[in-house]
Amino acid sequence: MTAAPTTRARGGTGIDQPVWTSRAGVPFPDLVPRALRRAWVAAGLCPDSDLFSLFTARVRRHPDREALVDGTGVLTYAGLMAEVRRVRAVLDRAGLGAGDVVALRLPNGRDAVAAELAVYAIGAVALPLPPGGDDRDLRALLDRSRARGAVLAAAEEARALDGLPYLGTVLVPGPGDGWIQGLHAPHSGAGLPRRHRPADPYGPARILVSSGSEAEPKMVAYSHHALAGGRARYVRALHPEPAVPPRHLVLVPLASSFGSLGTPVTLAAVGGTLIVQPVFDPLDALRLVTEHRPTHLFAVPTMLRRIADLPPRRGEDVSSLRVVVSSGAPLPAATAEACRRRFGRPVVTVYGSSDGVNCHTAGESRPPGDSAGTPDPAVARIRITGPDGRPVPAGHTGQIEARGPMTPMCYVGAPELDARYRTSGGWVRTGDLGRLDEHGRLHVLGRLKRVVIRGGLNISLAEVERELGGHPAVAEAVCVPVPDPDLGERLCACVRPVPGALAPTLSDLTAHLLERGLSRRKLPERLLVVDEMPLGPTGKICHRTLAARALRRCVPSRSVTG
């Protein structure tokens, strides 16, 4: 970033808008008024420090505390710092530094954690990406963010990045190969400089990627303050015993929005122990609970149900758990009850997103009905607005908007999204419908966005529809969600065949979508063939009617898409 942010007045508002600019020229405007940011710092809601300085303080305070448990063993804080220093030396030699965006696509484990902390150490901005995504999404994200470096799980992934104009360095675990450098180069012993130059805590630290409702994933820039303040405060609120050092078993990818509670929060801001799996496995998750004694388990509803459905095994011990935390998708009541029976512990649901909204049920043992809990203004204040953008009274339905210490700065490389989802006062428009009841509890009633949430993954219906429309036998294609007791929702493709053409099968459509480069995780798992699309009063296709028909008549896939 520039050493100090430039400022410009936002059109017609008279509000100074700080703008950080990356070395590759990407602007990071902070769309929250600076006076509010300063007030949150003054109130102690955000530590006035960058993430790496916070992590360094944790290392000094308890060097022998367990920091990370992964598939290869246990690292103390001092041991993790040694890994961070080694990776930081590699980044230094590669010419990466303050003001750069560095993408990270690695499985959960010490490489992912050390690489993210090393990015903060050099004053750069981390762009974590969950493993296994589309190569075209990877390329698009690196191109739009103008990432100057990337750390990938395997050299084969680098092939998709040929020709990106700003990307100068690709690192992979193990030895390098040609223009691809090795992340595990021997440590020279030089280590970090004696005096770490802190990054601006108001500036960007991490870019969260949302699978969202856009055809391409959205990138949301978070400051050091928003991560170490707002997001950390919601995690601290989950701790019934704050004097006990937290031990977090995080089963979701650390690169996801939900997974951002891992490296920057659990390790840097809170100083707890982070326990992870390289890939989710329900039986192994129970082993980790027994052997490594986590106080909290974080997972999406699908993961929780698969764990809860496993019978207890000899020697199993889940008594260390204090709370089970669900987020990433709506939690079915049956899954919540199965978890309460299985673990004998409270189940907390978190309504949140990468866009900066958060509300959770911590402290509310049995929220009534569809309540997502009572909003905590120390994390994110919630309001409900009508079609004119003005707040509506309690009990009225409208769009959910949020603003608070965890509010992100902006969308990256997408001013049109800032215009659509942010207000001049810094509020985030979520695109979700809800209401606040007379007790101040939030009720989430549905989505304005057209997405399917399958096992915690948001799948853009527009993206799948666009690719289905390229099949030679498809005249029209609309995608709708159908309820599923395991994954929450599955995607159903509703297609009208070209007149005179043989109706495509689900296998035909799957093969077509794979050829078009769509990820297996985004493939339709149900098919409804219609003679004509149902229309609503305005002449548009009626998605509600299609969804009802799909629930009754759609043909399921015979294969597992992952």
Side-chain angles (χ1 to χ4, degrees):
M1 302 297 119
T2 50
T6 58
T7 60
R8 64 172 182 257
R10 299 181 64 191
T13 67
I15 298 175
D16 282 340
Q17 175 185 311
V19 180
W20 286 257
T21 304
S22 76
R23 287 210 293 180
V26 175
F28 288 80
D30 189 357
L31 301 184
V32 175
R34 176 49 63 94
L36 279 176
R37 295 282 193 201
R38 290 190 178 119
W40 294 329
V41 172
L45 302 182
C46 300
D48 202 14
S49 182
D50 69 288
L51 289 169
F52 189 69
S53 294
L54 291 171
F55 174 70
T56 301
R58 301 294 177 192
V59 175
R60 288 196 300 264
R61 193 169 304 157
H62 39 68
D64 297 325
R65 177 180 294 174
E66 290 185 357
L68 178 67
V69 179
D70 69 359
T72 60
V74 178
L75 279 178
T76 64
Y77 269 82
L80 179 56
M81 175 60 94
E83 287 291 299
V84 174
R85 287 176 173 172
R86 181 186 55 73
V87 177
R88 190 242 168 107
V90 175
L91 299 180
D92 281 338
R93 289 197 296 272
L96 298 170
D100 288 330
V101 174
V102 181
L104 309 169
R105 191 159 83 166
L106 297 163
N108 286 0
R110 61 189 62 196
D111 281 342
V113 171
E116 183 172 346
L117 289 169
V119 170
Y120 302 142
I122 63 174
V125 181
L127 172 57
L129 305 169
D134 290 350
D135 284 344
R136 65 177 177 178
D137 283 349
L138 174 64
R139 186 180 179 87
L141 291 168
L142 268 63
D143 190 34
R144 281 195 284 139
S145 65
R146 299 185 183 180
R148 294 189 67 244
V151 185
L152 306 178
E156 291 77 14
E157 298 182 28
R159 287 199 296 267
L161 306 181
D162 286 344
L164 288 178
Y166 297 96
L167 184 65
T169 300
V170 175
L171 301 162
V172 297
D177 179 17
W179 66 283
I180 302 169
Q181 302 182 40
L183 184 66
H184 292 160
H187 177 35
S188 66
L192 293 174
R194 289 180 180 271
R195 294 179 62 84
H196 164 65
R197 183 179 180 182
D200 184 348
Y202 287 93
R206 193 185 206 253
I207 299 172
L208 272 59
V209 176
S210 168
S211 51
S213 58
E214 308 303 320
E216 288 185 348
K218 296 180 294 185
M219 294 183 288
V220 191
Y222 274 76
S223 66
H224 296 264
H225 277 159
L227 288 167
R231 282 193 174 259
R233 290 190 72 83
Y234 112 71
V235 172
R236 287 190 175 101
L238 305 175
H239 290 251
E241 302 174 69
V244 178
R247 296 176 64 84
H248 293 160
L249 173 54
V250 179
L251 299 179
V252 298
L254 296 178
S256 66
S257 176
F258 189 13
S260 66
L261 70 93
T263 303
V265 174
T266 299
L267 296 176
V270 176
T273 300
L274 178 62
I275 306 168
V276 297
Q277 296 176 309
V279 294
F280 171 66
D281 179 271
L283 190 59
D284 186 60
L286 287 170
R287 178 191 65 81
L288 290 171
V289 172
T290 297
E291 294 183 8
H292 294 286
R293 314 293 293 161
T295 57
H296 295 70
L297 188 158
F298 296 85
V300 298
T302 300
M303 293 175 174
L304 292 176
R305 186 60 196 238
R306 291 180 182 179
I307 295 171
D309 286 344
L310 291 174
R313 297 171 63 88
R314 172 179 286 187
E316 178 182 294
D317 183 359
V318 299
S319 62
S320 65
L321 288 176
R322 301 292 184 267
V323 177
V324 175
V325 185
S326 173
S327 189
L331 179 67
T335 298
E337 184 56 34
C339 288
R340 280 189 283 266
R341 290 195 307 267
R342 185 67 171 80
F343 298 111
R345 293 292 184 269
V347 178
V348 170
T349 61
V350 180
Y351 164 65
S353 75
S354 60
D355 304 274
V357 59
N358 178 283
C359 187
H360 52 76
T361 59
E364 303 179 41
S365 56
R366 293 291 179 106
D370 58 359
S371 171
T374 304
D376 180 0
V379 178
R381 188 180 299 274
I382 302 291
R383 72 179 186 183
I384 308 298
T385 60
D388 60 359
R390 296 180 180 180
V392 299
H396 288 245
T397 297
Q399 182 171 194
I400 300 171
E401 295 186 359
R403 186 183 70 182
M406 76 172 287
T407 300
M409 300 172 67
C410 61
Y411 293 100
V412 180
E416 73 282 0
L417 295 182
D418 285 332
R420 188 185 313 170
Y421 293 117
R422 300 294 288 269
T423 74
S424 60
W427 290 88
V428 175
R429 301 183 181 104
T430 66
D432 292 336
L433 288 172
R435 63 180 174 85
L436 290 167
D437 64 24
E438 66 275 16
H439 302 291
R441 293 183 296 249
L442 176 66
H443 298 257
V444 182
L445 305 178
R447 297 190 300 278
L448 295 174
K449 306 171 184 177
R450 293 195 60 237
V451 297
V452 166
I453 303 181
R454 179 188 183 276
L457 173 72
N458 287 4
I459 303 173
S460 165
L461 299 180
E463 179 184 21
V464 181
E465 288 168 353
R466 184 183 65 212
E467 301 299 347
L468 285 172
H471 191 284
V474 173
E476 289 183 290
V478 174
C479 292
V480 296
V482 290
D484 182 81
D486 182 29
L487 293 172
E489 291 178 334
R490 293 184 188 266
L491 192 155
C492 177
C494 307
V495 301
R496 179 174 66 84
V498 171
L502 189 65
T505 66
L506 193 55
S507 296
D508 295 334
L509 297 178
T510 295
H512 168 76
L513 293 173
L514 288 174
E515 288 176 1
R516 303 275 291 195
L518 206 68
S519 168
R520 284 188 173 273
R521 297 181 301 168
K522 299 178 182 179
L523 295 178
E525 297 176 274
R526 303 288 187 270
L527 174 63
L528 176 67
V529 178
V530 298
D531 293 327
E532 62 179 12
M533 293 289 180
L535 302 181
T538 63
K540 296 181 180 180
I541 294 174
C542 183
H543 296 88
R544 182 177 301 176
T545 300
L546 272 178
R549 289 184 185 176
L551 184 60
R552 297 192 305 267
R553 297 165 39 198
C554 63
V555 178
S557 169
R558 295 183 180 179
S559 62
V560 177
T561 61

